[in-house]
């Protein structure tokens, strides 16, 4: 604050104030020295008064002190009238003159600048309304509730995954792939509270944005990106199981050096398994105690097609069976061996032509095949009863005959045809007749003789099908 001068040469007046004295050389009065502090204090006090009134100091305006005193006096008079000290907007360096409104809102004491909400700084509700933005620090004394009343995100169908609004942190570069970001939320498989994903879900993203999940499930399991965490009880149970297995193995093992196993030699090599009896070299047995004939004593199978497919089973009754998959076949030197179904099928085909019976006995040979064959079955196929007509298997018929006719006559076939594939007519006389058949039908053909002719003897050959 401003005080009376304390520089050398001051004088004290009748009121006890330290004052400046003028220099008087004639009367040997030294006078008071001039120091910077005396002048700076006065100016500093004046400038401070001007600024407190909200006025920017200006060396060219000699009325600023007066303006400041008047403004301060008016504000104090207004404060006395309204009962409180009003807040000034702007007026000093660093503050703008925007309109500021402060008042009570539904969430607490709120502030608006130029009509825009800047926040609630005295919050009275249950929840802190954070709707985005950047906050350097948020210190909470007491419980912090996040996502309460916000519902679930994700699927709604049974078995789908859903989650609450999470608490997230990290992502120092604000990258779009959430690199180096972590979060905490509640996860749930709809209608499956016992699922490992139903519970507290901690998640994080690595440098590439790949997500990793940890689940602290309601069922008590802890799931990490590497799998389910084993608890002490799990380890103890596994140790007990391993001890039981080891005890069973030790109790059932056979000492190869003594008893029946002493003569057994087993060799397992790359792609091979060999078992032999050293007491009888080259001889080995494979035994299963069973009274059921089709029980397998030894199964040999592959995984071709599907697992355990094409099994060859040596049964207890000595039979060999091919089972599993689509079945298999026996081959001898590359030729497939006929099985019962093949023989039954062949017998059915034979029975369709002739009666079943023994065709290789002496009686059958001495009586001739006619004693066993039904000739009537074949007569209908091959015997037409006319030497000019020849019937063949599969319904085929061929006719050849002679006829005497005139040019243009219709020559009738000895027997009717079912269809005509070809018809040839040729003159048999030693002449220059050029003959041919034309417009044949199933009963005959017309005769064409180039240049005409009468009583010409011709040979006719026709082939086709029986009617």
């Amino acid at each position: 604050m401003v005080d009376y001068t304390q520089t050398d040469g001051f004088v004290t007046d009748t009121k006890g104030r330290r004052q400046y004295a003028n220099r008087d050389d004639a009367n040997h009065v030294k006078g008071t020295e001039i120091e910077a502090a005396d002048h700076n204090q006065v100016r500093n006090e004046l400038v401070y008064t001007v600024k407190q009134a909200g006025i920017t100091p200006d060396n060219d305006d000699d009325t600023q002190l007066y303006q400041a005193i008047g403004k301060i006096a008016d504000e104090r008079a207004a404060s006395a009238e309204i009962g409180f000290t009003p807040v000034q907007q702007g007026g000093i360096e660093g503050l703008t003159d925007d309109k500021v409104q402060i008042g009570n809102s539904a969430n607490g004491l709120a502030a608006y600048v130029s009509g825009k909400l800047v926040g609630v700084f005295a919050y009275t509700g249950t929840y802190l309304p954070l709707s985005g933005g950047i906050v350097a620090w948020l210190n909470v004394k007491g419980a912090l509730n996040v996502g309460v009343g916000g519902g679930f995100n994700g699927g709604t169908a049974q078995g789908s995954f859903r989650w609450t609004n999470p608490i997230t942190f990290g992502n120092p570069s604000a990258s779009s792939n959430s690199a180096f970001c972590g979060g905490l939320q509640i996860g749930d498989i709809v209608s499956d509270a016992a699922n490992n994903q139903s519970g507290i879900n901690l998640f994080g993203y690595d440098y590439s944005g790949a997500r990793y999940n940890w689940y602290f499930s309601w069922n008590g399991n802890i799931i990490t990106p590497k799998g389910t965490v084993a608890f002490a009880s799990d380890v103890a149970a596994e140790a007990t199981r391993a001890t039981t297995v080891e005890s069973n193995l030790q109790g059932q093992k056979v000492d190869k050096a003594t008893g029946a196993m002493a003569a057994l030699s087993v060799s397992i090599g790359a792609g091979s398994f060999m078992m032999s009896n050293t007491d009888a070299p080259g001889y080995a047995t494979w035994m299963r105690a069973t009274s059921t004939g089709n029980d397998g004593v030894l199964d040999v199978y592959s995984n071709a097609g599907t697992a355990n497919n094409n099994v060859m089973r040596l049964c207890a009754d000595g039979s060999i069976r091919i089972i599993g998959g689509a079945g298999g076949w026996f081959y001898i030197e590359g030729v497939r061996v006929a099985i019962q179904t093949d023989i039954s099928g062949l017998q059915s085909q034979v029975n369709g032509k002739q009666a079943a019976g023994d065709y290789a006995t002496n009686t059958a040979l001495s009586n001739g095949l006619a004693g066993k064959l039904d000739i009537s079955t074949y007569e209908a196929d091959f015997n037409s009863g006319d030497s000019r007509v020849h019937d063949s298997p599969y319904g085929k018929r061929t006719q050849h005959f002679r006829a005497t006719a005139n040019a243009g006559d219709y020559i009738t076939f000895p027997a009717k045809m079912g269809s005509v594939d070809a018809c040839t007519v040729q003159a048999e006389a030693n002449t220059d007749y050029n003959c041919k058949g034309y417009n044949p039908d199933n009963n005959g053909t017309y005769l064409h003789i180039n240049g005409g002719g009468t009583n010409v003897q011709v040979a006719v050959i026709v082939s086709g099908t029986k009617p």
Side-chain angles (χ1 to χ4, degrees):
M1 60 179 294
V2 177
D3 194 6
Y4 299 111
T5 183
Q6 295 183 9
T7 59
D8 292 340
F10 68 82
V11 295
T12 303
D13 64 6
T14 57
K15 296 180 179 181
R17 298 175 296 181
R18 297 184 297 274
Q19 301 292 305
Y20 286 94
N22 293 325
R23 181 175 179 173
D24 186 358
D25 292 334
N27 296 311
H28 303 286
V29 177
K30 181 179 179 181
T32 306
E33 295 183 3
I34 303 299
E35 290 187 356
D38 285 344
H39 293 278
N40 289 338
Q41 282 185 347
V42 173
R43 181 169 292 275
N44 291 342
E45 287 281 353
L46 294 175
V47 170
Y48 177 78
T49 302
V50 171
K51 284 185 175 183
Q52 285 299 108
I55 301 173
T56 301
D58 184 357
N59 286 329
D60 295 330
D61 188 351
D62 294 337
T63 66
Q64 285 188 312
L65 180 60
Y66 173 78
Q67 295 177 29
I69 294 172
K71 188 173 182 180
I72 292 172
D74 291 342
E75 290 176 352
R76 289 186 176 181
S79 298
E81 181 178 348
I82 62 178
F84 61 87
T85 302
V87 178
Q88 180 177 344
Q89 299 174 211
I92 62 174
E93 184 178 356
L95 294 180
T96 63
D97 292 329
D98 299 278
K99 184 177 181 180
V100 177
Q101 295 171 295
I102 299 176
N104 192 30
S105 69
N107 294 322
L109 187 61
Y112 286 78
V113 175
S114 297
K116 182 178 180 180
L117 176 67
V118 294
V120 178
F121 52 89
Y123 194 72
T124 59
T126 304
Y127 308 115
L128 181 63
L130 299 178
S131 57
I134 298 175
V135 179
W137 293 97
L138 178 63
N139 296 319
V140 178
K141 184 177 181 180
L144 175 62
N145 297 321
V146 177
V148 177
F152 276 103
N153 303 297
T156 58
Q158 182 174 348
S160 59
F161 182 70
R162 59 182 181 174
W163 64 94
T164 62
N165 292 326
I167 299 175
T168 58
F169 45 86
N171 195 0
S173 300
S175 56
S176 59
N177 66 350
S178 302
F180 299 112
C181 174
L184 184 65
Q185 62 191 17
I186 299 299
D188 180 61
I189 298 298
V190 179
S191 301
D192 189 3
N195 192 284
N196 283 338
Q197 290 183 281
S198 294
I200 299 173
N201 176 205
L202 174 66
F203 60 88
Y205 296 85
D206 66 9
Y207 68 95
S208 66
R211 177 166 172 154
Y212 299 85
N213 287 288
W214 291 258
Y215 296 96
F216 299 87
S217 310
W218 306 136
N219 61 22
N221 290 334
I222 299 177
I223 313 300
T224 75
K226 294 189 68 174
T228 304
V229 174
F231 294 93
S233 57
D234 300 322
V235 176
E238 178 61 20
T240 300
R241 188 196 67 81
T243 300
T244 302
V245 171
E246 176 66 18
S247 176
N248 292 339
L249 289 174
Q250 293 297 330
Q252 297 297 324
K253 73 178 181 179
V254 176
D255 188 353
K256 186 178 180 299
T258 61
M261 294 294 291
L264 181 64
S265 174
V266 178
S267 175
I268 301 177
S272 66
F273 173 82
M274 181 176 67
M275 181 173 62
S276 62
N277 190 333
T278 57
D279 287 346
Y283 176 76
T285 61
W286 198 285
M287 189 267 182
R288 175 187 179 184
T290 179
S291 59
T292 304
N294 60 3
D295 276 354
V297 175
L298 175 64
D299 284 354
V300 180
Y301 62 90
S302 72
N303 63 347
T306 58
N308 300 344
N309 195 35
N310 300 324
V311 178
M312 183 183 74
R313 171 169 292 177
L314 302 180
C315 297
D317 60 6
S319 62
I320 301 177
R321 301 188 180 193
I322 304 296
I323 60 177
W329 305 98
F330 288 106
Y331 285 83
I332 298 177
E333 294 185 354
V335 179
R336 199 185 86 184
V337 177
I339 60 178
Q340 184 177 3
T341 54
D342 297 326
I343 297 173
S344 298
L346 178 61
Q347 185 64 58
S348 297
Q349 297 180 43
V350 173
N351 292 343
K353 287 295 183 181
Q354 60 191 50
D358 184 1
Y359 296 93
T361 63
N362 291 332
T363 302
L365 293 175
S366 62
N367 292 338
L369 291 178
K372 289 294 183 180
L373 297 177
D374 186 355
I375 300 301
S376 62
T377 302
Y378 297 93
E379 286 181 345
D381 286 338
F382 299 101
N383 188 4
S384 67
D386 189 330
S387 61
R388 298 171 298 172
V389 180
H390 307 279
D391 289 337
S392 305
Y394 306 107
K396 295 295 184 179
R397 169 170 286 180
T398 302
Q399 303 185 52
H400 70 276
F401 61 94
R402 289 187 177 91
T404 301
N406 300 323
D409 285 351
Y410 182 81
I411 301 174
T412 302
F413 299 148
K416 185 177 181 179
M417 302 289 290
S419 63
V420 175
D421 296 334
C423 181
T424 302
V425 180
Q426 181 63 46
E428 292 188 322
N430 186 16
T431 63
D432 291 331
Y433 287 130
N434 183 8
C435 300
K436 63 180 179 180
Y438 68 94
N439 292 338
D441 56 28
N442 292 339
N443 295 308
T445 182
Y446 289 94
L447 174 63
H448 172 77
I449 301 176
N450 192 18
T454 58
N455 295 322
V456 177
Q457 183 171 304
V458 295
V460 181
I461 300 176
V462 60
S463 62
T465 62
K466 293 187 296 183

